[in-house]
Every structure is written in C-alpha cells, then in structure tokens.
C-alpha cells in the first residue's frame, strides 16, 4: 500500500465505527534493576523503579483502533476489583469510545504482570480465575452489543478463552450482523470453532490452525488444504491464516488463495501482533477496502507491531515509516502530502525537508541527504520538475527525466518521501510541509535559503551541510562533454 493510499485510509478512519466484543485483560509491566541475588533463595532480586498499565487482550484491539482514529465501541466484562475498575475506566475514556463494560461480581479481571530488567523479561505472573459470564452480565452485554450492531460498520470478536464470548452471545450476534450486512471478524482461540460458524472472516495463526484441525502444517500447501477445509466447515466468507515471518494466506470463497508476503522487519516482540491485525483488518474493511487490500494493510501493521516492545498500539506514522522498501512507494503526490505530514506530526515525528534538481546523483548529493536524515525522523525531498529544471539550468537539462530522478532518490535509505514541484522555487511546498528542519548545501547562507524566514517564524531551524569538494552535476556534465569530444 502506497503512502497516498495509507493517507486516504487514515483520513477515512474517523468516519469508521468498529464494535469490539471480547476478553478484556490488564497488562502490567514492572520495571527495575537486578544487582544481586535474593538472600532467601537463589533468585534475582528486582529493585522496582516504575510500573505501567495498559489494556490487553480485546482491550488491546480497542487501544489500536483508538490510536488509528476510529470510532470504537468496546464491549466486555471485568471483575469488581481495582484492576477491573481501572480497565473499564481506561477503555471508556479513549477518544471516540462509546461502549459498555459490564462489572461481573462472579469474575476476576485477568491480569498479566511482566517483570523487566535491562529490557529483558525476567518473569510473567498471570492472575486469573477462568469463569464464564454470569446470566445478568451476559444479558447486559447482549443488549449493548445488539444496540452496537445498529451503529457499527464492522464487528470484531477477540477471543482469549476467558469466558466472555459465550456460545449464546456468538450465535445471536453472528446471526444479527449477517442479517444487517455488517461484517464480523473473529480472532479465535481454543478448539471449539463451531461458535464462529457463519462469521465473515476468522483469523487463526499457524499453531491455532494445527490445534483446531489436529494436523501438522508442513508447508503452504497444507495451510491451504486445512484452511480451506475449515472455512467450508464453518461456512465462512474467508479464512486469513497468519504465518508469522511468512506473511499471511487469505482463503476466500470462490477465489484463488492469496499469499500476502511479510515485509522484512527486525522483530523485538510479537506480543499483541494478532490484536493489531484484527484492529487494522476491521478498520480497513469498515472503510470499504476489498478484503485482499485490507489483509495487505493489516499485514503491514503486524510488521510495525513486532518492531515494538510489549503490548503497544500501532499508529499511522508507524505504517508510513514502513513504506520505504520500494522506491515507487516513496513517491508522494501533492494531493496527499498534507495528510501524510499531518499524520507524522500528530505522532510527534520530526520532519526534515530539502530540495533540489538532483540531476545525475553524485557523492555530494548523497552526503547532503544522509546528513539531512540524521536531523530528524522523516526526510521529505522536494524535486524540481523537468520544466522547472529547464528554466533554471537551460535547454540541455535535465539529463534524467523527473520520474527517473525520483526513482533514484527513492532508492536511497536516507530518503523517506519524494514529491515533485513545478515552480522554480520550493516556497509553496515548504509552506505545505512546514518542516521542523530545512536543509540546504553549504554554498548557501541561512538568509539565502528559500523558505528560511517562514520556517524560523514558527520555531523551525535551518541547517547547512558542507559541500563535497569538486562534486557537482555541472562539473560531471562538463567532463562528459570533454570525453565526447
């Protein structure tokens, strides 16, 4: 998915309403230092320095949707203890959150406590007493969920086998969503997939598919065979099998299987990646994307999620930062520039801007771009159009057409986005980007850099990068002419 497509989806997110019913859990992280062994037993002694909390399980799906800007309806149950009170308050206080969290006196809110030192997890302590919903809590949730069906564009079920998704709830709600034409997505758990019958999409991972079918997966062919069999048995519209570093396999009724390749990312933690997939898949479908495209953007979101440590929500800026694997992905049209920049700045990304003709890329250009990228999180390059270069440099230029120059720039790791402008100066482009840092070569002074006064007026800065001696496009063209003669 290109930056302009991501920008369009980000812009549509606030108009998408997503209901999430499932097992709410509390994730706590206890952070400290280990400097010695406990005197009473041969175990590390953690000296606690801080503790953080966030919603886990189905709550993490809600957190992801809120971070992406969707209108979310959280539906679930918690226990009456302090942890449950905090969790319910958290989920209902998120932006654009209008759901219902039942307090069930017969339940204990599931809590996962992770002890961490020097970035390493030492121990996890789970606090839970598995129990189904009480009749009163089930009735309360059913009423709220039925009302949510009237407002939701898509309905998500996040199953962590903690007892919230009872067979009765699932049966009634899957029938209601299908009757209303609202897509229903299920992130499954356990071996009883009969509860998910007639759902629109179910999203097991490889291990879950093996567990429910009782067979070992040896290759992608066996994923296809077992997944398709399960899809038919449950009368699903589609099955999306998550294959970790191998991406995903989408099995849709009456269509050929589609393999969604994973993007290479350094994996720090897979915690919550499945929640991110469910959230993004639901949002994309709710916004009207076809299932194949929704699966692709969900796969991209999963790649961003595993690059984070612990249970953490993915933002649009995280996805825009993963678009640079292909030079073509980096080409950004003016019509989408504002949405992309706004998304990056909302996530507190430091935006750097530079511009030029970049005709016949040379070491001086590479140094400029490399040094510019070090000054922030995102580097946007303004590229003079062919007509603009011709007016500035003469009829013999450019040597390379604007599309080729954009392609070459996009191939550099330092460059995040390239946008072409028609004017002789980038003044209007700089006003649209409002960069935190404006960069030019050392042959300029701050006063002569176009846009410097504007950038400094709102607190931005201008940076000058020293030139590489004897390296310029003009000198290269001159030497080429000498060779020809």
């Amino acid at each position: 998915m290109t930056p302009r497509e991501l920008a369009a989806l980000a812009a549509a997110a606030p108009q998408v309403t997503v209901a999430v019913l499932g097992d709410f859990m509390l994730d706590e992280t206890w952070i400290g230092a280990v400097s010695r062994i406990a005197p009473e037993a041969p175990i590390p002694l953690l000296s606690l320095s801080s503790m953080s909390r966030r919603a886990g399980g189905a709550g993490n799906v809600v957190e992801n949707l809120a971070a992406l800007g969707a209108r979310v309806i959280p539906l679930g149950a918690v226990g009456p203890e302090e942890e449950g009170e905090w969790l319910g308050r958290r989920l209902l206080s998120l932006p654009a959150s209008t759901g219902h969290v039942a307090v069930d006196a017969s339940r204990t809110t599931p809590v996962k406590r992770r002890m961490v030192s020097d970035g390493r997890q030492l121990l996890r302590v789970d606090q839970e007493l598995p129990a189904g919903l009480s009749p009163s809590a089930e009735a309360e949730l059913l009423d709220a969920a039925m009302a949510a069906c009237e407002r939701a564009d898509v309905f998500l079920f996040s199953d962590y086998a903690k007892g919230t998704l009872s067979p009765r709830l699932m049966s009634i709600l899957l029938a209601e969503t299908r009757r209303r034409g609202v897509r229903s997505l299920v992130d499954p758990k356990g071996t009883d997939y009969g509860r998910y019958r007639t759902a629109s999409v179910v999203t097991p991972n490889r291990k879950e598919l093996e567990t429910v079918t009782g067979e070992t997966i040896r290759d992608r062919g066996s994923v296809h065979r077992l997944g398709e069999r399960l899809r038919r048995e449950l009368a699903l519209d589609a099955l999306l099998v998550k294959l970790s570093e191998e991406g995903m396999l989408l099995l849709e009724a009456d269509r050929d299987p589609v393999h969604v390749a994973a993007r290479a990312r350094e994996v720090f933690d897979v915690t919550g990646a499945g929640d991110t997939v469910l959230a993004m898949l639901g949002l994309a479908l709710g916004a009207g994307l076809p299932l194949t495209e929704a699966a692709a953007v969900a796969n991209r979101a999963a790649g961003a999620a595993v690059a984070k440590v612990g249970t953490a929500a993915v933002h649009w800026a995280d996805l825009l930062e993963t678009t640079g694997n292909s030079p073509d992905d980096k080409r950004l049209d003016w019509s989408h520039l504002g949405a992309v920049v706004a998304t990056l700045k909302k996530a507190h990304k430091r935006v750097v801007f530079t511009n030029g003709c970049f005709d016949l890329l040379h070491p001086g250009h590479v140094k400029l771009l490399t040094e510019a990228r070090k000054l922030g999180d995102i580097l946007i390059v303004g590229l003079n159009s062919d007509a603009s270069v011709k007016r500035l440099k003469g009829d013999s230029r450019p040597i390379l057409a604007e599309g080729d120059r954009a392609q070459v720039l996009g191939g550099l790791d330092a460059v995040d986005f390239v946008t072409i402008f028609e004017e002789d100066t980038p003044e209007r482009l700089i006003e649209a980007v409002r960069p935190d840092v404006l960069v030019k070569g050392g042959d300029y002074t701050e006063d002569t850099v176009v846009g410097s006064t504007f950038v400094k007026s709102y607190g931005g800065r201008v940076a000058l990068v020293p030139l590489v001696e004897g390296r310029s496009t003009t000198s290269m063209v001159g030497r080429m002419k000498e060779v020809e003669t």
Side-chain angles (χ1 to χ4, degrees):
M1 179 168 277
T2 64
R4 55 184 172 273
E5 290 168 332
L6 281 172
L9 183 55
Q15 283 72 53
V16 180
T17 301
V18 186
V20 182
L21 174 62
D23 296 304
F24 293 152
M25 299 189 286
L26 178 63
D27 278 1
E28 286 188 352
T29 303
W30 295 19
I31 301 173
V34 174
S35 58
R36 63 191 178 97
I37 301 298
E40 70 274 15
I43 56 174
L45 179 63
L46 180 70
S47 179
L48 188 65
S49 59
S50 65
M51 187 268 283
S52 64
R53 279 178 164 178
R54 64 170 288 116
N60 188 37
V61 180
V62 174
E63 292 267 12
N64 270 271
L65 286 163
L68 294 168
R71 295 188 295 229
V72 60
I73 308 174
L75 301 162
V78 296
E81 69 290 294
E82 185 274 335
E83 291 90 346
E85 180 184 353
W86 184 95
L87 185 55
R89 187 170 62 249
R90 166 66 185 174
L91 293 172
L92 295 177
S93 66
L94 291 169
S97 174
T98 56
H100 182 79
V101 179
V103 178
D104 190 343
S106 67
R107 289 173 66 86
T108 298
T109 303
V111 181
K112 297 184 185 298
R113 294 188 174 92
R114 295 173 173 87
M115 316 300 173
V116 177
S117 176
D118 293 329
R120 295 175 179 269
Q121 186 171 313
L122 304 176
L123 178 69
R124 192 179 96 180
V125 180
D126 288 1
Q127 171 188 310
E128 61 180 83
L129 293 173
L133 294 171
S134 66
S136 59
E138 183 182 63
E140 191 178 327
L141 264 187
L142 180 58
D143 286 345
M146 291 292 280
C149 287
E150 299 177 9
R151 297 187 287 136
D153 297 300
V154 63
F155 206 115
L156 311 185
F157 297 89
S158 177
D159 195 349
Y160 273 82
K162 307 301 181 189
T164 303
L165 298 180
S166 66
R168 179 169 178 265
L169 272 181
M170 293 297 298
S171 175
I172 294 174
L173 290 172
L174 287 176
E176 180 67 8
T177 53
R178 189 160 287 272
R179 185 183 73 81
R180 289 182 174 273
V182 176
R183 274 177 154 159
S184 55
L185 281 60
V186 181
D187 193 5
K189 191 71 70 178
T191 58
D192 179 18
Y193 278 30
R195 291 175 299 152
Y196 313 140
R197 183 177 298 280
T198 72
S200 301
V201 187
V202 175
T203 63
N205 58 33
R206 184 197 304 264
K207 184 178 179 181
E208 288 165 344
L209 183 59
E210 287 184 328
T211 299
V212 73
T213 61
E215 295 191 33
T216 301
I217 291 175
R218 304 187 186 281
D219 51 31
R220 199 182 300 166
S222 56
V223 175
H224 181 198
R225 176 176 57 82
L226 297 175
E228 180 60 20
R229 187 178 76 192
L230 182 64
R231 189 199 65 75
R232 290 178 180 274
E233 288 174 356
L234 298 178
L236 308 174
D237 295 338
L239 193 80
L240 181 64
V241 185
K242 296 168 288 189
L243 300 172
S244 188
E245 70 278 359
E246 295 179 32
M248 301 177 178
L249 188 67
L250 176 61
L251 304 172
E252 203 169 354
D254 302 320
R255 295 194 178 184
D256 292 335
V258 175
H259 177 243
V260 184
R263 287 177 174 254
R265 296 295 302 275
E266 187 173 0
V267 177
F268 287 97
D269 195 341
V270 298
T271 304
D275 302 329
T276 301
V277 169
L278 183 65
M280 182 57 80
L281 187 67
L283 173 57
L285 289 175
L289 264 65
L291 185 51
T292 51
E293 293 182 24
V297 71
N299 187 55
R300 185 189 293 273
V306 300
K308 295 173 177 282
V309 176
T311 303
V314 169
H315 297 77
W316 291 112
D318 298 316
L319 304 185
L320 285 167
E321 285 185 308
T322 69
T323 60
N325 289 334
S326 163
D328 290 333
D329 284 347
K330 297 182 180 182
R331 178 82 173 265
L332 194 59
D333 294 337
W334 267 68
S335 59
H336 298 95
L337 182 66
V340 169
V341 172
T343 298
L344 293 169
K345 292 192 172 184
K346 187 176 180 181
H348 307 292
K349 300 294 182 181
R350 189 171 176 81
V351 177
V352 182
F353 176 88
T354 191
N355 66 278
C357 301
F358 297 100
D359 197 14
L360 295 184
L361 204 68
H362 56 70
H365 291 143
V366 174
K367 179 183 178 182
L368 172 72
L369 297 169
T370 302
E371 294 301 315
R373 183 62 174 79
K374 292 177 182 177
L375 298 174
D377 302 305
I378 297 291
L379 174 60
I380 298 175
V381 177
L383 182 65
N384 290 76
S385 69
D386 288 348
S388 174
V389 174
K390 193 175 294 292
R391 289 193 298 270
L392 294 171
K393 304 288 185 180
D395 290 339
S396 63
R397 301 280 296 276
I399 305 300
L400 296 177
E402 60 190 47
D404 293 333
R405 289 183 283 127
Q407 183 86 0
V408 172
L409 285 170
L412 298 178
D413 289 340
V415 176
D416 293 292
F417 299 111
V418 179
T419 188
I420 297 173
F421 63 97
E422 295 289 341
E423 297 88 348
D424 292 348
T425 76
E427 190 165 8
R428 194 164 65 94
L429 181 56
I430 292 170
E431 291 174 356
V433 174
R434 292 179 65 88
D436 299 290
V437 186
L438 174 61
V439 177
K440 286 296 286 185
D443 52 339
Y444 285 82
T445 63
E446 277 198 22
D447 292 339
T448 59
V449 174
V450 172
S452 60
T453 301
F454 173 73
V455 170
K456 289 190 285 187
S457 72
Y458 56 78
R461 59 173 286 223
V462 178
L464 303 178
V465 175
L467 298 179
V468 176
E469 192 67 31
R471 298 291 190 273
S472 72
T473 302
T474 301
S475 65
M476 290 172 67
V477 171
R479 286 197 295 272
M480 290 167 63
K481 288 181 178 178
E482 290 176 5
V483 171
E484 289 177 358
T485 56

